Amino acid sequence: MVRLCCSSLSFWALPGNLRLTLRSACAARTLLRSYSQDTTPEKLTIAGIDYPTDSWTNVPQSIISQYGRRLHIEPNHPLSITRQLVESRFPGFKSHNALPGVVTVDQNFDSLGFTPDHPGRSRTDTYYINEGTLLRTHTSAHEVDIFRENSTDGWTLSADVYRRDAVDKSHYPIFHQMEGALTWDRSSFDSPQACLDAIKQSFDKLPRHDLVVEDPNPPFHKERNPLQEKYHSAAEAELVGAHLKRSLEDMVVTIFAAADKALTASGQAVEGEKEPLKVRWVEAFFPHTSPSWEMEVWWRGDWLEVLGCGVIDQPLLIRADQPDRIGWAFGIGLERIAMLLFGIPDIRLFWSKDARFLKQFNESEPIKRFQPFSKHPSAPRDVAFWLPKSSKEAIVAETSSSGTSAPSSAGGQQTEPPRDVKSEPAFHENDLMEIARTIAGDTVEDVRLIDDFTHPKTSRRSLCYRVEYRSLERTLTTEEVNAMHEKVCGEMVEKFGVEIR
Ligand code: FA5
Ligand code: MG
């Protein structure tokens, strides 16, 4: 086992005590990553259904215990209110809101055209129940099934999704997405032009707005954001893309205009948030759309990514037995919208069972700004360590640690380069995120990289992360923060063979 993970030849040249640390570290690492035979239960029971486990299993109990809360349909929950508001901007669309979160690898990745080496498939990013079964990483996992059902031109689908991801105020390992799609059946028109005319007519009926929109890029771009030349004419892709953008801009405008009105009426408008709403379109990449974009909203002095979208990949529609349909799809983070809408400052709050949180939301009343009920101090602690010498690389996802809102690759974006998803890196930032969450639960507010240094002579790499502890409910004592942090450092040594500096 030791030889398996400590591949370096110089292992025996190390001092005895370090060998011992590394030995147990490597052993434990195998346990963490694959739950070796001794610790992996033979089966996992999720929502009353038993699933056999194997060497791919990596779902911790802390995630399973949160499974099935269905906050997006809980009456008066801010996520449910947000879902209903978004749905109301897509009249005539059929809403699917109760699909179970355990899906196959085929549904989550293959059916969407994820390449075999797409980093989103790796166990560092995704929670596997076993090699063929996982907790969906995005609502796109159901696209092909719903397109195949072919019951309406437009549909939305809201659900809980699961990702091994960064820890900060806008990322949580379970969050909620709404998928939406609209397609036109080209075979039901007399000519391609008649279909184009229908899309144009529909576009013209979409409400206009006076939102400030930055959209500097062309409708598609040969290298960066290609047209699906084999299947779509330039006119079709351009029009479908314009319809998509206008529909989503309308959704954002309507939701925030309503919120603004309510806040101003109740005297709750906050100084500094009175800047006019601003959105921008950014070119993106998803295996299941092309061209693709992300919408970002200006919020509290920064651009916050709220959704990904694009013109649906035609081979996907062909796999769903809908070769004649053309259209758009989007996936939006409901937490991100709810945070903007209610002024909720921290994503952990959505999981709170504290009445001081829950009683502030009522779906039959106008939107009210969330009133923080506590401001407990944050307790930052640093963990600085040397990575073990290993032939394998360490993956430090710059996007998540730098505090931006960019998500992991598990939704399709290529935020990491393609790699052999079956082999595991020496260290992945998400491993530290999970250790911190497992030990500190919701009292860990933020984990971010503050230093990355490679020794010029030894070429050893050292990383330093700052972990911020803060309870939403009470002030933490120094002793309990120290105890949690010591455990985090201890687990890093044990599981990854790092050397604390
Ligand atoms: C996806 O998941 C794509 N499947 C979206 C899509 C659907 C594209 C249909 C094209 C067509 P992405 O990984 O960027 O994309 O996630 C979409 C949104 O989910 C993000 O914009 C963000 O609002 C939200 N999100 C992602 N990760 C987190 C997280 N850890 N916590 C909270 N919200 C998140
Ligand atoms: Mg994204």
PDB file of all heavy atoms in Angstrom, residues 138 140 143 163 165 170-172 175 177 179 286 288-289 294 305-310 329-333 335-336 347 407-408 411-413, ligand 1:
ATOM      1  N   HIS A 138     -25.056  18.456 -11.433  1.00  0.00           N
ATOM      2  CA  HIS A 138     -25.807  19.560 -12.045  1.00  0.00           C
ATOM      3  C   HIS A 138     -27.163  19.034 -12.540  1.00  0.00           C
ATOM      4  O   HIS A 138     -27.336  17.831 -12.759  1.00  0.00           O
ATOM      5  CB  HIS A 138     -25.034  20.226 -13.191  1.00  0.00           C
ATOM      6  CG  HIS A 138     -24.523  19.292 -14.240  1.00  0.00           C
ATOM      7  ND1 HIS A 138     -23.899  19.715 -15.376  1.00  0.00           N
ATOM      8  CD2 HIS A 138     -24.554  17.935 -14.342  1.00  0.00           C
ATOM      9  CE1 HIS A 138     -23.559  18.682 -16.121  1.00  0.00           C
ATOM     10  NE2 HIS A 138     -23.948  17.597 -15.512  1.00  0.00           N
ATOM     11  N   SER A 140     -28.306  19.440 -15.349  1.00  0.00           N
ATOM     12  CA  SER A 140     -28.203  19.013 -16.750  1.00  0.00           C
ATOM     13  C   SER A 140     -28.264  17.494 -16.865  1.00  0.00           C
ATOM     14  O   SER A 140     -28.555  16.967 -17.957  1.00  0.00           O
ATOM     15  CB  SER A 140     -26.893  19.507 -17.375  1.00  0.00           C
ATOM     16  OG  SER A 140     -26.756  20.895 -17.239  1.00  0.00           O
ATOM     17  N   GLU A 143     -31.282  16.378 -18.660  1.00  0.00           N
ATOM     18  CA  GLU A 143     -31.677  16.978 -19.950  1.00  0.00           C
ATOM     19  C   GLU A 143     -32.145  15.941 -20.970  1.00  0.00           C
ATOM     20  O   GLU A 143     -33.234  16.060 -21.533  1.00  0.00           O
ATOM     21  CB  GLU A 143     -30.508  17.776 -20.544  1.00  0.00           C
ATOM     22  CG  GLU A 143     -30.442  19.207 -20.056  1.00  0.00           C
ATOM     23  CD  GLU A 143     -29.594  20.087 -20.970  1.00  0.00           C
ATOM     24  OE1 GLU A 143     -29.269  19.679 -22.085  1.00  0.00           O
ATOM     25  OE2 GLU A 143     -29.271  21.206 -20.532  1.00  0.00           O
ATOM     26  N   ARG A 163     -21.379  18.843  -5.132  1.00  0.00           N
ATOM     27  CA  ARG A 163     -20.025  18.951  -5.692  1.00  0.00           C
ATOM     28  C   ARG A 163     -18.990  19.074  -4.598  1.00  0.00           C
ATOM     29  O   ARG A 163     -19.201  19.784  -3.623  1.00  0.00           O
ATOM     30  CB  ARG A 163     -19.897  20.206  -6.562  1.00  0.00           C
ATOM     31  CG  ARG A 163     -20.644  20.129  -7.829  1.00  0.00           C
ATOM     32  CD  ARG A 163     -20.346  21.336  -8.693  1.00  0.00           C
ATOM     33  NE  ARG A 163     -21.339  21.436  -9.749  1.00  0.00           N
ATOM     34  CZ  ARG A 163     -21.389  22.408 -10.636  1.00  0.00           C
ATOM     35  NH1 ARG A 163     -20.497  23.356 -10.608  1.00  0.00           N
ATOM     36  NH2 ARG A 163     -22.335  22.419 -11.558  1.00  0.00           N
ATOM     37  N   ASP A 165     -16.196  21.036  -3.705  1.00  0.00           N
ATOM     38  CA  ASP A 165     -15.905  22.363  -4.247  1.00  0.00           C
ATOM     39  C   ASP A 165     -15.265  23.234  -3.172  1.00  0.00           C
ATOM     40  O   ASP A 165     -15.034  22.782  -2.054  1.00  0.00           O
ATOM     41  CB  ASP A 165     -17.227  22.986  -4.743  1.00  0.00           C
ATOM     42  CG  ASP A 165     -17.034  23.994  -5.865  1.00  0.00           C
ATOM     43  OD1 ASP A 165     -15.917  24.514  -6.017  1.00  0.00           O
ATOM     44  OD2 ASP A 165     -18.004  24.277  -6.591  1.00  0.00           O
ATOM     45  N   SER A 170     -19.949  31.874  -1.108  1.00  0.00           N
ATOM     46  CA  SER A 170     -20.863  31.582  -2.217  1.00  0.00           C
ATOM     47  C   SER A 170     -20.756  30.136  -2.722  1.00  0.00           C
ATOM     48  O   SER A 170     -21.333  29.805  -3.745  1.00  0.00           O
ATOM     49  CB  SER A 170     -20.674  32.591  -3.353  1.00  0.00           C
ATOM     50  OG  SER A 170     -19.372  32.472  -3.887  1.00  0.00           O
ATOM     51  N   HIS A 171     -19.986  29.291  -2.031  1.00  0.00           N
ATOM     52  CA  HIS A 171     -19.899  27.871  -2.431  1.00  0.00           C
ATOM     53  C   HIS A 171     -20.242  26.963  -1.264  1.00  0.00           C
ATOM     54  O   HIS A 171     -19.768  27.171  -0.146  1.00  0.00           O
ATOM     55  CB  HIS A 171     -18.483  27.515  -2.874  1.00  0.00           C
ATOM     56  CG  HIS A 171     -18.072  28.139  -4.164  1.00  0.00           C
ATOM     57  ND1 HIS A 171     -17.617  29.417  -4.242  1.00  0.00           N
ATOM     58  CD2 HIS A 171     -18.058  27.645  -5.421  1.00  0.00           C
ATOM     59  CE1 HIS A 171     -17.328  29.696  -5.507  1.00  0.00           C
ATOM     60  NE2 HIS A 171     -17.589  28.638  -6.238  1.00  0.00           N
ATOM     61  N   TYR A 172     -21.031  25.939  -1.541  1.00  0.00           N
ATOM     62  CA  TYR A 172     -21.408  24.963  -0.529  1.00  0.00           C
ATOM     63  C   TYR A 172     -21.466  23.616  -1.252  1.00  0.00           C
ATOM     64  O   TYR A 172     -21.801  23.576  -2.435  1.00  0.00           O
ATOM     65  CB  TYR A 172     -22.795  25.348   0.028  1.00  0.00           C
ATOM     66  CG  TYR A 172     -23.122  24.704   1.346  1.00  0.00           C
ATOM     67  CD1 TYR A 172     -22.619  25.224   2.539  1.00  0.00           C
ATOM     68  CD2 TYR A 172     -23.923  23.569   1.398  1.00  0.00           C
ATOM     69  CE1 TYR A 172     -22.910  24.626   3.742  1.00  0.00           C
ATOM     70  CE2 TYR A 172     -24.231  22.970   2.616  1.00  0.00           C
ATOM     71  CZ  TYR A 172     -23.714  23.508   3.783  1.00  0.00           C
ATOM     72  OH  TYR A 172     -24.004  22.912   4.983  1.00  0.00           O
ATOM     73  N   PHE A 175     -25.908  22.478  -3.381  1.00  0.00           N
ATOM     74  CA  PHE A 175     -26.626  23.702  -3.699  1.00  0.00           C
ATOM     75  C   PHE A 175     -27.752  23.355  -4.655  1.00  0.00           C
ATOM     76  O   PHE A 175     -28.014  22.175  -4.894  1.00  0.00           O
ATOM     77  CB  PHE A 175     -25.673  24.793  -4.237  1.00  0.00           C
ATOM     78  CG  PHE A 175     -24.914  24.423  -5.475  1.00  0.00           C
ATOM     79  CD1 PHE A 175     -25.325  24.868  -6.726  1.00  0.00           C
ATOM     80  CD2 PHE A 175     -23.779  23.635  -5.415  1.00  0.00           C
ATOM     81  CE1 PHE A 175     -24.622  24.543  -7.884  1.00  0.00           C
ATOM     82  CE2 PHE A 175     -23.070  23.294  -6.566  1.00  0.00           C
ATOM     83  CZ  PHE A 175     -23.493  23.751  -7.789  1.00  0.00           C
ATOM     84  N   GLN A 177     -29.878  24.056  -8.318  1.00  0.00           N
ATOM     85  CA  GLN A 177     -29.867  24.646  -9.656  1.00  0.00           C
ATOM     86  C   GLN A 177     -31.244  24.554 -10.278  1.00  0.00           C
ATOM     87  O   GLN A 177     -32.030  23.669  -9.938  1.00  0.00           O
ATOM     88  CB  GLN A 177     -28.894  23.886 -10.574  1.00  0.00           C
ATOM     89  CG  GLN A 177     -27.440  24.190 -10.327  1.00  0.00           C
ATOM     90  CD  GLN A 177     -26.539  23.529 -11.358  1.00  0.00           C
ATOM     91  OE1 GLN A 177     -26.908  22.547 -11.978  1.00  0.00           O
ATOM     92  NE2 GLN A 177     -25.353  24.069 -11.538  1.00  0.00           N
ATOM     93  N   GLU A 179     -32.565  24.184 -14.146  1.00  0.00           N
ATOM     94  CA  GLU A 179     -32.246  24.009 -15.559  1.00  0.00           C
ATOM     95  C   GLU A 179     -33.454  24.524 -16.325  1.00  0.00           C
ATOM     96  O   GLU A 179     -34.599  24.375 -15.860  1.00  0.00           O
ATOM     97  CB  GLU A 179     -32.070  22.506 -15.838  1.00  0.00           C
ATOM     98  CG  GLU A 179     -31.392  22.168 -17.129  1.00  0.00           C
ATOM     99  CD  GLU A 179     -29.862  22.168 -16.977  1.00  0.00           C
ATOM    100  OE1 GLU A 179     -29.347  22.454 -15.875  1.00  0.00           O
ATOM    101  OE2 GLU A 179     -29.191  21.903 -17.968  1.00  0.00           O
ATOM    102  N   PHE A 286     -19.188  24.637 -22.365  1.00  0.00           N
ATOM    103  CA  PHE A 286     -19.850  23.469 -21.767  1.00  0.00           C
ATOM    104  C   PHE A 286     -19.901  22.393 -22.848  1.00  0.00           C
ATOM    105  O   PHE A 286     -20.118  22.719 -24.019  1.00  0.00           O
ATOM    106  CB  PHE A 286     -21.278  23.805 -21.310  1.00  0.00           C
ATOM    107  CG  PHE A 286     -21.339  24.860 -20.245  1.00  0.00           C
ATOM    108  CD1 PHE A 286     -21.660  26.171 -20.572  1.00  0.00           C
ATOM    109  CD2 PHE A 286     -21.065  24.559 -18.922  1.00  0.00           C
ATOM    110  CE1 PHE A 286     -21.696  27.165 -19.597  1.00  0.00           C
ATOM    111  CE2 PHE A 286     -21.091  25.540 -17.950  1.00  0.00           C
ATOM    112  CZ  PHE A 286     -21.407  26.849 -18.289  1.00  0.00           C
ATOM    113  N   HIS A 288     -22.215  20.465 -23.414  1.00  0.00           N
ATOM    114  CA  HIS A 288     -23.581  20.267 -23.876  1.00  0.00           C
ATOM    115  C   HIS A 288     -24.190  21.470 -24.580  1.00  0.00           C
ATOM    116  O   HIS A 288     -25.377  21.461 -24.909  1.00  0.00           O
ATOM    117  CB  HIS A 288     -24.476  19.788 -22.726  1.00  0.00           C
ATOM    118  CG  HIS A 288     -24.235  20.479 -21.405  1.00  0.00           C
ATOM    119  ND1 HIS A 288     -23.028  20.531 -20.781  1.00  0.00           N
ATOM    120  CD2 HIS A 288     -25.083  21.123 -20.585  1.00  0.00           C
ATOM    121  CE1 HIS A 288     -23.128  21.175 -19.631  1.00  0.00           C
ATOM    122  NE2 HIS A 288     -24.368  21.555 -19.499  1.00  0.00           N
ATOM    123  N   THR A 289     -23.399  22.534 -24.811  1.00  0.00           N
ATOM    124  CA  THR A 289     -23.905  23.687 -25.570  1.00  0.00           C
ATOM    125  C   THR A 289     -22.778  24.288 -26.415  1.00  0.00           C
ATOM    126  O   THR A 289     -21.618  24.193 -26.056  1.00  0.00           O
ATOM    127  CB  THR A 289     -24.422  24.814 -24.630  1.00  0.00           C
ATOM    128  OG1 THR A 289     -23.434  25.086 -23.643  1.00  0.00           O
ATOM    129  CG2 THR A 289     -25.733  24.454 -23.980  1.00  0.00           C
ATOM    130  N   GLU A 294     -21.819  32.658 -19.936  1.00  0.00           N
ATOM    131  CA  GLU A 294     -22.209  32.785 -18.538  1.00  0.00           C
ATOM    132  C   GLU A 294     -22.696  34.198 -18.312  1.00  0.00           C
ATOM    133  O   GLU A 294     -22.193  35.143 -18.930  1.00  0.00           O
ATOM    134  CB  GLU A 294     -21.013  32.525 -17.623  1.00  0.00           C
ATOM    135  CG  GLU A 294     -20.764  31.042 -17.505  1.00  0.00           C
ATOM    136  CD  GLU A 294     -19.450  30.733 -16.852  1.00  0.00           C
ATOM    137  OE1 GLU A 294     -18.634  31.646 -16.713  1.00  0.00           O
ATOM    138  OE2 GLU A 294     -19.268  29.566 -16.509  1.00  0.00           O
ATOM    139  N   GLU A 305     -20.971  35.226 -10.816  1.00  0.00           N
ATOM    140  CA  GLU A 305     -21.497  34.374 -11.888  1.00  0.00           C
ATOM    141  C   GLU A 305     -22.802  33.737 -11.420  1.00  0.00           C
ATOM    142  O   GLU A 305     -22.839  33.110 -10.371  1.00  0.00           O
ATOM    143  CB  GLU A 305     -20.471  33.292 -12.203  1.00  0.00           C
ATOM    144  CG  GLU A 305     -20.896  32.424 -13.346  1.00  0.00           C
ATOM    145  CD  GLU A 305     -20.200  31.087 -13.298  1.00  0.00           C
ATOM    146  OE1 GLU A 305     -18.964  31.055 -13.229  1.00  0.00           O
ATOM    147  OE2 GLU A 305     -20.920  30.077 -13.316  1.00  0.00           O
ATOM    148  N   VAL A 306     -23.872  33.921 -12.175  1.00  0.00           N
ATOM    149  CA  VAL A 306     -25.140  33.340 -11.722  1.00  0.00           C
ATOM    150  C   VAL A 306     -25.637  32.184 -12.588  1.00  0.00           C
ATOM    151  O   VAL A 306     -26.405  31.361 -12.120  1.00  0.00           O
ATOM    152  CB  VAL A 306     -26.275  34.391 -11.572  1.00  0.00           C
ATOM    153  CG1 VAL A 306     -25.966  35.376 -10.469  1.00  0.00           C
ATOM    154  CG2 VAL A 306     -26.557  35.097 -12.870  1.00  0.00           C
ATOM    155  N   LEU A 307     -25.209  32.111 -13.840  1.00  0.00           N
ATOM    156  CA  LEU A 307     -25.713  31.014 -14.666  1.00  0.00           C
ATOM    157  C   LEU A 307     -24.803  30.714 -15.843  1.00  0.00           C
ATOM    158  O   LEU A 307     -24.001  31.543 -16.260  1.00  0.00           O
ATOM    159  CB  LEU A 307     -27.123  31.331 -15.171  1.00  0.00           C
ATOM    160  CG  LEU A 307     -27.328  32.549 -16.081  1.00  0.00           C
ATOM    161  CD1 LEU A 307     -27.096  32.194 -17.550  1.00  0.00           C
ATOM    162  CD2 LEU A 307     -28.722  33.088 -15.923  1.00  0.00           C
ATOM    163  N   GLY A 308     -24.962  29.498 -16.355  1.00  0.00           N
ATOM    164  CA  GLY A 308     -24.306  29.088 -17.586  1.00  0.00           C
ATOM    165  C   GLY A 308     -25.392  28.714 -18.586  1.00  0.00           C
ATOM    166  O   GLY A 308     -26.476  28.271 -18.203  1.00  0.00           O
ATOM    167  N   CYS A 309     -25.118  28.905 -19.894  1.00  0.00           N
ATOM    168  CA  CYS A 309     -26.167  28.634 -20.882  1.00  0.00           C
ATOM    169  C   CYS A 309     -25.581  28.525 -22.274  1.00  0.00           C
ATOM    170  O   CYS A 309     -24.398  28.768 -22.471  1.00  0.00           O
ATOM    171  CB  CYS A 309     -27.204  29.761 -20.844  1.00  0.00           C
ATOM    172  SG  CYS A 309     -26.543  31.363 -21.346  1.00  0.00           S
ATOM    173  N   GLY A 310     -26.427  28.187 -23.237  1.00  0.00           N
ATOM    174  CA  GLY A 310     -25.956  28.152 -24.612  1.00  0.00           C
ATOM    175  C   GLY A 310     -26.954  27.504 -25.550  1.00  0.00           C
ATOM    176  O   GLY A 310     -28.057  27.117 -25.155  1.00  0.00           O
ATOM    177  N   ALA A 329     -30.556  26.200 -23.728  1.00  0.00           N
ATOM    178  CA  ALA A 329     -30.701  25.686 -22.357  1.00  0.00           C
ATOM    179  C   ALA A 329     -29.869  26.549 -21.424  1.00  0.00           C
ATOM    180  O   ALA A 329     -28.891  27.175 -21.840  1.00  0.00           O
ATOM    181  CB  ALA A 329     -30.221  24.239 -22.286  1.00  0.00           C
ATOM    182  N   PHE A 330     -30.291  26.598 -20.162  1.00  0.00           N
ATOM    183  CA  PHE A 330     -29.491  27.324 -19.153  1.00  0.00           C
ATOM    184  C   PHE A 330     -29.511  26.544 -17.847  1.00  0.00           C
ATOM    185  O   PHE A 330     -30.377  25.691 -17.628  1.00  0.00           O
ATOM    186  CB  PHE A 330     -30.043  28.745 -18.929  1.00  0.00           C
ATOM    187  CG  PHE A 330     -31.391  28.798 -18.230  1.00  0.00           C
ATOM    188  CD1 PHE A 330     -31.501  28.740 -16.836  1.00  0.00           C
ATOM    189  CD2 PHE A 330     -32.569  28.905 -18.966  1.00  0.00           C
ATOM    190  CE1 PHE A 330     -32.746  28.792 -16.205  1.00  0.00           C
ATOM    191  CE2 PHE A 330     -33.810  28.957 -18.340  1.00  0.00           C
ATOM    192  CZ  PHE A 330     -33.901  28.897 -16.953  1.00  0.00           C
ATOM    193  N   GLY A 331     -28.537  26.822 -16.999  1.00  0.00           N
ATOM    194  CA  GLY A 331     -28.502  26.272 -15.642  1.00  0.00           C
ATOM    195  C   GLY A 331     -28.125  27.392 -14.695  1.00  0.00           C
ATOM    196  O   GLY A 331     -27.087  28.039 -14.851  1.00  0.00           O
ATOM    197  N   ILE A 332     -29.001  27.650 -13.726  1.00  0.00           N
ATOM    198  CA  ILE A 332     -28.801  28.808 -12.852  1.00  0.00           C
ATOM    199  C   ILE A 332     -28.632  28.330 -11.412  1.00  0.00           C
ATOM    200  O   ILE A 332     -29.251  27.346 -11.004  1.00  0.00           O
ATOM    201  CB  ILE A 332     -30.021  29.763 -13.000  1.00  0.00           C
ATOM    202  CG1 ILE A 332     -29.798  31.075 -12.288  1.00  0.00           C
ATOM    203  CG2 ILE A 332     -31.301  29.137 -12.517  1.00  0.00           C
ATOM    204  CD1 ILE A 332     -30.829  32.130 -12.690  1.00  0.00           C
ATOM    205  N   GLY A 333     -27.780  29.005 -10.664  1.00  0.00           N
ATOM    206  CA  GLY A 333     -27.611  28.676  -9.251  1.00  0.00           C
ATOM    207  C   GLY A 333     -28.668  29.407  -8.434  1.00  0.00           C
ATOM    208  O   GLY A 333     -28.670  30.632  -8.377  1.00  0.00           O
ATOM    209  N   GLU A 335     -29.163  29.563  -5.205  1.00  0.00           N
ATOM    210  CA  GLU A 335     -28.615  30.274  -4.038  1.00  0.00           C
ATOM    211  C   GLU A 335     -28.090  31.647  -4.436  1.00  0.00           C
ATOM    212  O   GLU A 335     -28.282  32.628  -3.726  1.00  0.00           O
ATOM    213  CB  GLU A 335     -27.468  29.477  -3.404  1.00  0.00           C
ATOM    214  CG  GLU A 335     -27.893  28.383  -2.429  1.00  0.00           C
ATOM    215  CD  GLU A 335     -28.312  27.105  -3.127  1.00  0.00           C
ATOM    216  OE1 GLU A 335     -28.376  27.101  -4.373  1.00  0.00           O
ATOM    217  OE2 GLU A 335     -28.591  26.109  -2.436  1.00  0.00           O
ATOM    218  N   ARG A 336     -27.393  31.657  -5.592  1.00  0.00           N
ATOM    219  CA  ARG A 336     -26.787  32.932  -6.020  1.00  0.00           C
ATOM    220  C   ARG A 336     -27.877  33.986  -6.228  1.00  0.00           C
ATOM    221  O   ARG A 336     -27.719  35.142  -5.855  1.00  0.00           O
ATOM    222  CB  ARG A 336     -25.997  32.737  -7.321  1.00  0.00           C
ATOM    223  CG  ARG A 336     -24.857  31.746  -7.213  1.00  0.00           C
ATOM    224  CD  ARG A 336     -23.596  32.419  -6.725  1.00  0.00           C
ATOM    225  NE  ARG A 336     -22.566  31.447  -6.382  1.00  0.00           N
ATOM    226  CZ  ARG A 336     -21.658  30.988  -7.246  1.00  0.00           C
ATOM    227  NH1 ARG A 336     -21.650  31.427  -8.489  1.00  0.00           N
ATOM    228  NH2 ARG A 336     -20.756  30.111  -6.846  1.00  0.00           N
ATOM    229  N   ILE A 347     -23.907  31.617   2.128  1.00  0.00           N
ATOM    230  CA  ILE A 347     -24.644  30.482   1.559  1.00  0.00           C
ATOM    231  C   ILE A 347     -25.012  29.431   2.615  1.00  0.00           C
ATOM    232  O   ILE A 347     -25.987  28.695   2.466  1.00  0.00           O
ATOM    233  CB  ILE A 347     -23.845  29.876   0.380  1.00  0.00           C
ATOM    234  CG1 ILE A 347     -24.701  28.945  -0.472  1.00  0.00           C
ATOM    235  CG2 ILE A 347     -22.581  29.159   0.860  1.00  0.00           C
ATOM    236  CD1 ILE A 347     -24.104  28.644  -1.843  1.00  0.00           C
ATOM    237  N   PRO A 407     -17.236  28.244 -10.537  1.00  0.00           N
ATOM    238  CA  PRO A 407     -17.388  26.934  -9.927  1.00  0.00           C
ATOM    239  C   PRO A 407     -16.413  25.894 -10.471  1.00  0.00           C
ATOM    240  O   PRO A 407     -15.602  26.192 -11.342  1.00  0.00           O
ATOM    241  CB  PRO A 407     -18.815  26.559 -10.289  1.00  0.00           C
ATOM    242  CG  PRO A 407     -19.079  27.273 -11.556  1.00  0.00           C
ATOM    243  CD  PRO A 407     -18.140  28.434 -11.652  1.00  0.00           C
ATOM    244  N   SER A 408     -16.532  24.677  -9.962  1.00  0.00           N
ATOM    245  CA  SER A 408     -15.649  23.591 -10.356  1.00  0.00           C
ATOM    246  C   SER A 408     -16.011  23.085 -11.745  1.00  0.00           C
ATOM    247  O   SER A 408     -16.976  23.534 -12.353  1.00  0.00           O
ATOM    248  CB  SER A 408     -15.796  22.451  -9.367  1.00  0.00           C
ATOM    249  OG  SER A 408     -16.949  21.709  -9.687  1.00  0.00           O
ATOM    250  N   GLY A 411     -19.698  20.949 -13.520  1.00  0.00           N
ATOM    251  CA  GLY A 411     -20.852  21.390 -14.290  1.00  0.00           C
ATOM    252  C   GLY A 411     -20.523  21.495 -15.770  1.00  0.00           C
ATOM    253  O   GLY A 411     -21.347  21.936 -16.560  1.00  0.00           O
ATOM    254  N   GLY A 412     -19.293  21.130 -16.119  1.00  0.00           N
ATOM    255  CA  GLY A 412     -18.947  21.103 -17.528  1.00  0.00           C
ATOM    256  C   GLY A 412     -17.843  22.049 -17.917  1.00  0.00           C
ATOM    257  O   GLY A 412     -17.146  21.842 -18.902  1.00  0.00           O
ATOM    258  N   GLN A 413     -17.651  23.109 -17.144  1.00  0.00           N
ATOM    259  CA  GLN A 413     -16.607  24.055 -17.511  1.00  0.00           C
ATOM    260  C   GLN A 413     -15.247  23.406 -17.380  1.00  0.00           C
ATOM    261  O   GLN A 413     -15.037  22.573 -16.499  1.00  0.00           O
ATOM    262  CB  GLN A 413     -16.634  25.237 -16.555  1.00  0.00           C
ATOM    263  CG  GLN A 413     -17.597  26.279 -16.962  1.00  0.00           C
ATOM    264  CD  GLN A 413     -17.625  27.334 -15.899  1.00  0.00           C
ATOM    265  OE1 GLN A 413     -18.033  27.079 -14.771  1.00  0.00           O
ATOM    266  NE2 GLN A 413     -17.164  28.499 -16.238  1.00  0.00           N
TER     267      GLN A 413
HETATM  268  C1  FA5 B   1     -23.359  23.992 -14.979  1.00  0.00           C
HETATM  269  O1  FA5 B   1     -23.594  23.335 -13.994  1.00  0.00           O
HETATM  270  C2  FA5 B   1     -23.971  23.740 -16.315  1.00  0.00           C
HETATM  271  N1  FA5 B   1     -24.570  22.436 -16.297  1.00  0.00           N
HETATM  272  C3  FA5 B   1     -24.977  24.847 -16.596  1.00  0.00           C
HETATM  273  C4  FA5 B   1     -25.563  24.785 -17.955  1.00  0.00           C
HETATM  274  C5  FA5 B   1     -26.832  24.252 -18.144  1.00  0.00           C
HETATM  275  C6  FA5 B   1     -24.861  25.269 -19.059  1.00  0.00           C
HETATM  276  C7  FA5 B   1     -27.394  24.200 -19.410  1.00  0.00           C
HETATM  277  C8  FA5 B   1     -25.393  25.212 -20.304  1.00  0.00           C
HETATM  278  C9  FA5 B   1     -26.682  24.684 -20.492  1.00  0.00           C
HETATM  279  P1  FA5 B   1     -21.814  25.683 -13.701  1.00  0.00           P
HETATM  280  O2  FA5 B   1     -20.904  24.663 -13.145  1.00  0.00           O
HETATM  281  O3  FA5 B   1     -21.189  26.943 -14.159  1.00  0.00           O
HETATM  282  O4  FA5 B   1     -22.577  25.117 -14.961  1.00  0.00           O
HETATM  283  O5  FA5 B   1     -22.946  26.000 -12.648  1.00  0.00           O
HETATM  284  C10 FA5 B   1     -24.076  26.791 -12.979  1.00  0.00           C
HETATM  285  C11 FA5 B   1     -24.386  27.752 -11.850  1.00  0.00           C
HETATM  286  O6  FA5 B   1     -24.534  27.051 -10.601  1.00  0.00           O
HETATM  287  C12 FA5 B   1     -23.253  28.742 -11.577  1.00  0.00           C
HETATM  288  O7  FA5 B   1     -23.313  29.811 -12.470  1.00  0.00           O
HETATM  289  C13 FA5 B   1     -23.557  29.160 -10.139  1.00  0.00           C
HETATM  290  O8  FA5 B   1     -24.606  30.097 -10.112  1.00  0.00           O
HETATM  291  C14 FA5 B   1     -24.080  27.871  -9.535  1.00  0.00           C
HETATM  292  N2  FA5 B   1     -23.031  27.188  -8.742  1.00  0.00           N
HETATM  293  C15 FA5 B   1     -22.005  26.437  -9.215  1.00  0.00           C
HETATM  294  N3  FA5 B   1     -21.257  25.937  -8.192  1.00  0.00           N
HETATM  295  C16 FA5 B   1     -21.841  26.366  -7.033  1.00  0.00           C
HETATM  296  C17 FA5 B   1     -21.592  26.154  -5.634  1.00  0.00           C
HETATM  297  N4  FA5 B   1     -20.607  25.369  -5.197  1.00  0.00           N
HETATM  298  N5  FA5 B   1     -22.409  26.749  -4.738  1.00  0.00           N
HETATM  299  C18 FA5 B   1     -23.441  27.517  -5.170  1.00  0.00           C
HETATM  300  N6  FA5 B   1     -23.746  27.738  -6.458  1.00  0.00           N
HETATM  301  C19 FA5 B   1     -22.970  27.178  -7.389  1.00  0.00           C
END
